[in-house]
Amino acid sequence: MTPATDSAVTGSAINTEAGLPGTGGQPLDLSTLALAPKVLLHDHLDGGLRPSTVLDLAREVGYDDLPADDADSLARWFREAADSGSLERYLETFAHTVAVMQTAPALERVARECVEDLAADGVVYAEIRYAPEQHLEQGLTLDEVVEAVLRGFAEGEAVAAAGGRPITVRCLVTAMRHAARAREIAELAVRYRGDGVVGFDIAGAEAGNPPTRHLDAFEYMRANSAPFTIHAGEAFGLPSIHEAIAFCGTDRLGHGVRVIDDIRLPDGVDLAASSFAGAELGEIANVVRDKRIPLELCPSSNVQTGAVASMADHPFNALARLRFRVTVNTDNRLMSDTTMSKEFYRLAQQFGYGWADFERFTVNAMKSAFIHFDERLAFIDEVIKPGYAVLIG
């Protein structure tokens, strides 16, 4: 298997005509991958807009600062601007999407289209996150933001079901780590827990904004038996992972890719190897693996933000072979010009994965979802395993 080049972080690098061996059953290509049931745990609502929708909403609200005035050029601008190798510069692209998501109708539309797009790509369960505090500029309250997004999700689910691609979408409400509203957002998560909000998150630039700044929010979530994830181990490395686990008690790690910094791989081993026997794990890596803390890995995004140098340098395969609970995610579909099918395909190009591997990663994600055990088990037994059985053959 020829490794993908560094440019494989962009959709244009994918050869959609060439199939890869699926290790039995159907060959792997984007059309068959779209049929595979997928579970998505890390996807930002404001990072997944359709370029045409950004243009429409900008016209409606009189936003004149977009860097392009047609959908193709705008999509290209987002992708190229995000390819900076810096998390901080990557985050600057969100100024344009957030600017057009300041009214209830806009939020509802973006949420509905998000669900429709995921369902068309074979996603059967998704947890979509966004920061309600970023959508208050036109007078909405935090509650009104959440309610608009939940309406959009419900509308999208109905459209997808009517089209024969049923999907369940839940949401995580996110607090910005550089701000001081985390406890308030945690209370919002608990308040809407029975209506489609299943958890809490903090996001934003990691450097200088450690998760321990928001201990009161995490304590509130634990006191209310409510789960949460934390963006950690993307830009800042092991200290943020340690704090997220040891002091904050996170249930999952948003990205967590830098846990590889606490693993000494055997000398000379290639990251595409099928075995990493002899690898030595440090204390933090052992805790992550021992406790089965899910890693919300986002391969294309991790390259764009500089968390890893290239897809060939991504530790996904090493972590998977060492039996960490790895999951595959999109992070920001607009900025990375990606889908879950494209992320699977890039991993197959780079590491030679087949259908059985993607079934395992999907089951990992479903086990890690913030819904109840019986619901997770039903998805695994009734949707995921039967779906992959057809593809594996």
Side-chain angles (χ1 to χ4, degrees):
M1 180 88 40
T2 301
T5 64
D6 293 3
S7 63
V9 296
T10 63
S12 59
I14 291 180
N15 181 354
T16 59
E17 300 300 321
L20 297 170
T23 61
Q26 297 293 321
L28 275 165
D29 55 37
L30 288 179
S31 61
T32 52
L33 281 165
L35 301 175
K38 293 174 280 291
V39 173
L40 174 56
L41 300 179
H42 192 122
D43 186 86
H44 292 265
L45 185 65
D46 52 342
L49 283 72
R50 299 172 183 172
S52 57
T53 296
V54 177
L55 290 166
D56 287 348
L57 294 177
R59 283 191 288 267
E60 289 177 12
V61 301
Y63 181 71
D64 299 324
D65 292 335
L66 290 181
D69 58 7
D70 67 88
D72 289 343
S73 298
L74 188 60
R76 184 167 54 253
W77 180 87
F78 273 109
R79 184 180 68 241
E80 292 175 352
D83 281 340
S84 63
S86 162
L87 177 59
E88 287 75 15
R89 290 176 61 193
Y90 179 89
L91 294 174
E92 291 173 5
T93 61
F94 289 85
H96 298 297
T97 56
V98 170
V100 301
M101 296 170 64
Q102 297 297 328
T103 68
L107 288 164
E108 194 169 326
R109 174 179 173 176
V110 170
R112 182 186 70 249
E113 292 178 350
C114 168
V115 178
E116 293 173 2
D117 292 346
L118 294 179
D121 188 45
V123 176
V124 296
Y125 176 84
E127 292 177 3
I128 307 300
R129 63 189 73 192
Y130 63 98
E133 64 194 87
Q134 292 191 307
H135 303 282
L136 309 178
E137 293 179 7
Q138 296 297 317
L140 291 176
T141 65
L142 292 172
D143 290 71
E144 288 170 337
V145 170
V146 172
E147 290 165 8
V149 172
L150 291 174
R151 285 195 303 272
F153 285 165
E155 292 165 6
E157 287 178 336
V159 171
R165 295 304 280 288
I167 181 174
T168 297
V169 176
R170 298 292 180 260
C171 77
L172 309 179
V173 290
T174 297
M176 300 308 296
R177 62 199 309 151
H178 61 272
R181 305 189 73 164
R183 170 60 184 262
E184 188 178 7
I185 303 303
E187 292 172 356
L188 190 69
V190 171
R191 189 155 66 246
Y192 283 90
R193 178 163 46 181
D195 300 311
V197 176
V198 295
F200 170 71
D201 173 38
I202 63 168
E206 289 183 55
N209 300 292
T212 47
R213 287 185 58 191
H214 308 288
L215 285 177
D216 58 337
F218 303 129
E219 289 169 358
Y220 181 83
M221 294 299 290
R222 289 198 302 271
N224 284 276
S225 302
F228 57 92
T229 181
I230 295 175
H231 277 71
E234 181 185 16
F236 199 59
L238 288 176
S240 66
I241 294 176
H242 174 68
E243 287 195 14
I245 296 170
F247 300 112
C248 305
T250 191
D251 296 291
R252 300 194 314 233
L253 287 169
H255 299 287
V257 65
R258 298 284 295 281
V259 72
I260 195 67
D261 295 350
D262 199 37
I263 302 173
R264 186 179 183 278
L265 298 177
D267 292 340
V269 70
D270 186 275
L271 285 175
S274 60
S275 173
F276 292 84
E280 298 176 7
L281 277 63
E283 291 300 327
I284 295 173
N286 268 318
V287 166
V288 172
R289 188 171 68 170
D290 291 349
K291 291 190 172 183
R292 315 306 300 142
I293 297 173
L295 300 174
E296 302 166 0
L297 299 174
C298 307
S300 295
S301 173
N302 295 155
V303 175
Q304 285 183 302
T305 63
V308 297
S310 70
M311 195 66 74
D313 295 308
H314 202 290
F316 186 99
N317 184 57
L319 295 170
R321 301 289 185 188
L322 289 170
R323 308 301 291 185
F324 285 79
R325 186 177 283 186
V326 298
T327 68
V328 183
N329 302 277
T330 51
D331 201 12
N332 298 290
R333 287 169 287 116
L334 172 61
M335 287 68 177
S336 295
D337 184 20
T338 199
T339 62
M340 282 291 285
S341 292
K342 288 182 179 179
E343 293 299 306
F344 276 14
Y345 193 80
R346 288 166 186 146
L347 290 171
Q349 282 183 306
Q350 191 64 56
F351 301 119
Y353 293 143
W355 292 116
D357 298 300
F358 291 124
E359 179 183 28
R360 176 161 68 92
F361 305 150
T362 302
V363 170
N364 279 352
M366 198 68 246
K367 286 180 178 178
S368 307
F370 285 162
I371 54 176
H372 294 305
F373 174 80
D374 56 342
E375 297 173 277
R376 285 181 271 141
L377 190 62
F379 270 104
I380 292 170
D381 290 343
E382 300 171 17
V383 180
I384 296 170
K385 287 189 175 295
Y388 277 95
V390 172
L391 295 165
I392 293 172

